[in-house]
Amino acid sequence: MSQVFKALSDPTRRQVLQLLRKGPLSAGELSDHFDVSKPTMSAHFAVLKDADLVHAEKAGKSVIYHLKLSVLEDALLGFVHSFDVGVEKPKSRKERAR
Amino acid sequence: MNKELVSDLAWGVGIVVLALASTYARKLGYIEAETVTRIVMCAIGLMVAWFGNRMPKRFVPNAVARQATRVGGWSLALSGLVYAALWVFAPPQVAVVGGSAAVILGILVTISYCLSLRSKARKARPTP
């Protein structure tokens, strides 16, 4: 459970989980939403995988991430997200390019 | 052995042990017969909530099936918690009717959601 709290403590990881709510996404598609380096994103994905919050599936050269939340974890994510109102979300590369 | 299977067996064995221990406590005169029923029924409600909680965690390769497990998990977890709470706080008659109604409602929500997903998929499918 401590791994789950650790995973949910970071806004980038929470944002990744929120993006995955809409459906499975590849590592590249997820990384495009954040202005951080690929190794940093890989580290975030590893934390989420260790906490068993996402399921990684290899599809050719890319890795597809699926959401894997229990009801309690889902409620916890929703609860933490509800307090995120004032927190500045990481800007995506597309947004920064404008 | 599979971790999931171990936790499932632990729930089953735990409830039997709890029932035997509370029956023994009743025989010794520590608790009343109604308390034994309440303890065991509350444990069953918590077990339903636990299985509901774990339901969306199981990975299924289909996106629609994932949606169904998510809704089913939430409805089962909530109805299990209602069942457990009623057996702790409500009068026995209310707990029997209300608890059973909560679990049946949870199952009905899951079934109707699955049926609605199926009809949506049928409508979306192009006719030959």
Side-chain angles (χ1 to χ4, degrees), chain B residues 67-86:
Chain B
Q67 270 178 287
T69 55
R70 190 158 177 256
V71 171
W74 268 98
S75 61
L76 213 61
L78 291 177
S79 54
L81 287 176
V82 169
Y83 186 92
L86 282 172

mmCIF file of all heavy atoms in Angstrom, chain B residues 67-86:
data_model
loop_
_atom_site.group_PDB
_atom_site.id
_atom_site.type_symbol
_atom_site.label_atom_id
_atom_site.label_comp_id
_atom_site.label_asym_id
_atom_site.label_seq_id
_atom_site.Cartn_x
_atom_site.Cartn_y
_atom_site.Cartn_z
ATOM 1 N N GLN B 67 -14.415 -1.788 -18.760
ATOM 2 C CA GLN B 67 -15.453 -0.867 -18.285
ATOM 3 C C GLN B 67 -16.440 -1.624 -17.404
ATOM 4 O O GLN B 67 -16.858 -1.132 -16.354
ATOM 5 C CB GLN B 67 -16.206 -0.284 -19.481
ATOM 6 C CG GLN B 67 -15.625 0.998 -20.035
ATOM 7 C CD GLN B 67 -16.433 1.442 -21.230
ATOM 8 O OE1 GLN B 67 -16.335 0.837 -22.296
ATOM 9 N NE2 GLN B 67 -17.234 2.454 -21.065
ATOM 10 N N ALA B 68 -16.813 -2.825 -17.847
ATOM 11 C CA ALA B 68 -17.788 -3.641 -17.107
ATOM 12 C C ALA B 68 -17.232 -4.042 -15.738
ATOM 13 O O ALA B 68 -17.946 -3.969 -14.733
ATOM 14 C CB ALA B 68 -18.157 -4.870 -17.914
ATOM 15 N N THR B 69 -15.946 -4.437 -15.685
ATOM 16 C CA THR B 69 -15.372 -4.839 -14.388
ATOM 17 C C THR B 69 -15.268 -3.639 -13.446
ATOM 18 O O THR B 69 -15.402 -3.783 -12.244
ATOM 19 C CB THR B 69 -13.981 -5.488 -14.550
ATOM 20 O OG1 THR B 69 -13.129 -4.606 -15.255
ATOM 21 C CG2 THR B 69 -14.029 -6.834 -15.217
ATOM 22 N N ARG B 70 -15.044 -2.442 -14.020
ATOM 23 C CA ARG B 70 -14.929 -1.236 -13.192
ATOM 24 C C ARG B 70 -16.275 -0.922 -12.525
ATOM 25 O O ARG B 70 -16.342 -0.724 -11.308
ATOM 26 C CB ARG B 70 -14.463 -0.067 -14.063
ATOM 27 C CG ARG B 70 -14.089 1.138 -13.271
ATOM 28 C CD ARG B 70 -13.165 2.069 -14.036
ATOM 29 N NE ARG B 70 -12.898 3.241 -13.225
ATOM 30 C CZ ARG B 70 -13.450 4.419 -13.443
ATOM 31 N NH1 ARG B 70 -14.263 4.604 -14.432
ATOM 32 N NH2 ARG B 70 -13.172 5.427 -12.640
ATOM 33 N N VAL B 71 -17.335 -0.913 -13.342
ATOM 34 C CA VAL B 71 -18.670 -0.619 -12.795
ATOM 35 C C VAL B 71 -19.102 -1.735 -11.844
ATOM 36 O O VAL B 71 -19.618 -1.470 -10.752
ATOM 37 C CB VAL B 71 -19.694 -0.425 -13.951
ATOM 38 C CG1 VAL B 71 -21.109 -0.349 -13.430
ATOM 39 C CG2 VAL B 71 -19.357 0.835 -14.725
ATOM 40 N N GLY B 72 -18.849 -2.982 -12.242
ATOM 41 C CA GLY B 72 -19.200 -4.128 -11.387
ATOM 42 C C GLY B 72 -18.454 -4.089 -10.065
ATOM 43 O O GLY B 72 -19.040 -4.363 -9.004
ATOM 44 N N GLY B 73 -17.186 -3.727 -10.109
ATOM 45 C CA GLY B 73 -16.378 -3.631 -8.893
ATOM 46 C C GLY B 73 -16.911 -2.582 -7.942
ATOM 47 O O GLY B 73 -17.071 -2.833 -6.739
ATOM 48 N N TRP B 74 -17.223 -1.397 -8.491
ATOM 49 C CA TRP B 74 -17.758 -0.314 -7.651
ATOM 50 C C TRP B 74 -19.095 -0.711 -7.026
ATOM 51 O O TRP B 74 -19.305 -0.514 -5.831
ATOM 52 C CB TRP B 74 -17.940 0.966 -8.490
ATOM 53 C CG TRP B 74 -16.727 1.844 -8.443
ATOM 54 C CD1 TRP B 74 -15.736 1.906 -9.365
ATOM 55 C CD2 TRP B 74 -16.367 2.772 -7.408
ATOM 56 N NE1 TRP B 74 -14.787 2.810 -8.974
ATOM 57 C CE2 TRP B 74 -15.137 3.363 -7.791
ATOM 58 C CE3 TRP B 74 -16.948 3.163 -6.206
ATOM 59 C CZ2 TRP B 74 -14.484 4.310 -7.005
ATOM 60 C CZ3 TRP B 74 -16.297 4.109 -5.426
ATOM 61 C CH2 TRP B 74 -15.093 4.669 -5.827
ATOM 62 N N SER B 75 -20.001 -1.267 -7.831
ATOM 63 C CA SER B 75 -21.333 -1.598 -7.307
ATOM 64 C C SER B 75 -21.246 -2.714 -6.265
ATOM 65 O O SER B 75 -21.921 -2.662 -5.235
ATOM 66 C CB SER B 75 -22.304 -1.955 -8.424
ATOM 67 O OG SER B 75 -21.850 -3.061 -9.124
ATOM 68 N N LEU B 76 -20.355 -3.690 -6.500
ATOM 69 C CA LEU B 76 -20.212 -4.791 -5.546
ATOM 70 C C LEU B 76 -19.545 -4.319 -4.248
ATOM 71 O O LEU B 76 -19.967 -4.706 -3.148
ATOM 72 C CB LEU B 76 -19.381 -5.903 -6.191
ATOM 73 C CG LEU B 76 -19.734 -7.327 -5.794
ATOM 74 C CD1 LEU B 76 -21.161 -7.649 -6.181
ATOM 75 C CD2 LEU B 76 -18.789 -8.317 -6.436
ATOM 76 N N ALA B 77 -18.529 -3.471 -4.371
ATOM 77 C CA ALA B 77 -17.833 -2.959 -3.180
ATOM 78 C C ALA B 77 -18.777 -2.119 -2.316
ATOM 79 O O ALA B 77 -18.832 -2.285 -1.092
ATOM 80 C CB ALA B 77 -16.626 -2.126 -3.600
ATOM 81 N N LEU B 78 -19.556 -1.249 -2.970
ATOM 82 C CA LEU B 78 -20.476 -0.395 -2.208
ATOM 83 C C LEU B 78 -21.593 -1.209 -1.571
ATOM 84 O O LEU B 78 -21.943 -0.995 -0.403
ATOM 85 C CB LEU B 78 -21.058 0.700 -3.117
ATOM 86 C CG LEU B 78 -20.059 1.768 -3.578
ATOM 87 C CD1 LEU B 78 -20.720 2.739 -4.531
ATOM 88 C CD2 LEU B 78 -19.461 2.534 -2.395
ATOM 89 N N SER B 79 -22.151 -2.177 -2.340
ATOM 90 C CA SER B 79 -23.242 -2.973 -1.762
ATOM 91 C C SER B 79 -22.724 -3.865 -0.627
ATOM 92 O O SER B 79 -23.433 -4.071 0.360
ATOM 93 C CB SER B 79 -23.964 -3.788 -2.825
ATOM 94 O OG SER B 79 -23.073 -4.575 -3.547
ATOM 95 N N GLY B 80 -21.482 -4.337 -0.734
ATOM 96 C CA GLY B 80 -20.889 -5.120 0.356
ATOM 97 C C GLY B 80 -20.716 -4.295 1.618
ATOM 98 O O GLY B 80 -20.978 -4.768 2.731
ATOM 99 N N LEU B 81 -20.294 -3.041 1.441
ATOM 100 C CA LEU B 81 -20.120 -2.155 2.600
ATOM 101 C C LEU B 81 -21.463 -1.826 3.251
ATOM 102 O O LEU B 81 -21.569 -1.780 4.484
ATOM 103 C CB LEU B 81 -19.411 -0.862 2.178
ATOM 104 C CG LEU B 81 -17.914 -0.987 1.864
ATOM 105 C CD1 LEU B 81 -17.355 0.334 1.374
ATOM 106 C CD2 LEU B 81 -17.128 -1.457 3.087
ATOM 107 N N VAL B 82 -22.500 -1.619 2.415
ATOM 108 C CA VAL B 82 -23.848 -1.346 2.941
ATOM 109 C C VAL B 82 -24.342 -2.559 3.726
ATOM 110 O O VAL B 82 -24.875 -2.429 4.835
ATOM 111 C CB VAL B 82 -24.831 -0.977 1.792
ATOM 112 C CG1 VAL B 82 -26.276 -0.952 2.271
ATOM 113 C CG2 VAL B 82 -24.458 0.367 1.182
ATOM 114 N N TYR B 83 -24.131 -3.751 3.159
ATOM 115 C CA TYR B 83 -24.530 -5.022 3.805
ATOM 116 C C TYR B 83 -23.862 -5.147 5.177
ATOM 117 O O TYR B 83 -24.526 -5.423 6.182
ATOM 118 C CB TYR B 83 -24.120 -6.175 2.880
ATOM 119 C CG TYR B 83 -24.577 -7.545 3.315
ATOM 120 C CD1 TYR B 83 -25.778 -8.072 2.868
ATOM 121 C CD2 TYR B 83 -23.790 -8.330 4.157
ATOM 122 C CE1 TYR B 83 -26.194 -9.339 3.250
ATOM 123 C CE2 TYR B 83 -24.203 -9.606 4.543
ATOM 124 C CZ TYR B 83 -25.401 -10.098 4.090
ATOM 125 O OH TYR B 83 -25.805 -11.347 4.470
ATOM 126 N N ALA B 84 -22.539 -4.904 5.204
ATOM 127 C CA ALA B 84 -21.780 -5.017 6.466
ATOM 128 C C ALA B 84 -22.262 -3.985 7.487
ATOM 129 O O ALA B 84 -22.468 -4.306 8.663
ATOM 130 C CB ALA B 84 -20.294 -4.845 6.187
ATOM 131 N N ALA B 85 -22.454 -2.741 7.024
ATOM 132 C CA ALA B 85 -22.879 -1.665 7.933
ATOM 133 C C ALA B 85 -24.254 -1.946 8.511
ATOM 134 O O ALA B 85 -24.494 -1.725 9.708
ATOM 135 C CB ALA B 85 -22.880 -0.341 7.190
ATOM 136 N N LEU B 86 -25.171 -2.458 7.667
ATOM 137 C CA LEU B 86 -26.520 -2.759 8.152
ATOM 138 C C LEU B 86 -26.482 -3.857 9.211
ATOM 139 O O LEU B 86 -27.208 -3.798 10.207
ATOM 140 C CB LEU B 86 -27.434 -3.179 6.987
ATOM 141 C CG LEU B 86 -27.962 -2.044 6.106
ATOM 142 C CD1 LEU B 86 -28.689 -2.592 4.896
ATOM 143 C CD2 LEU B 86 -28.910 -1.141 6.891
#
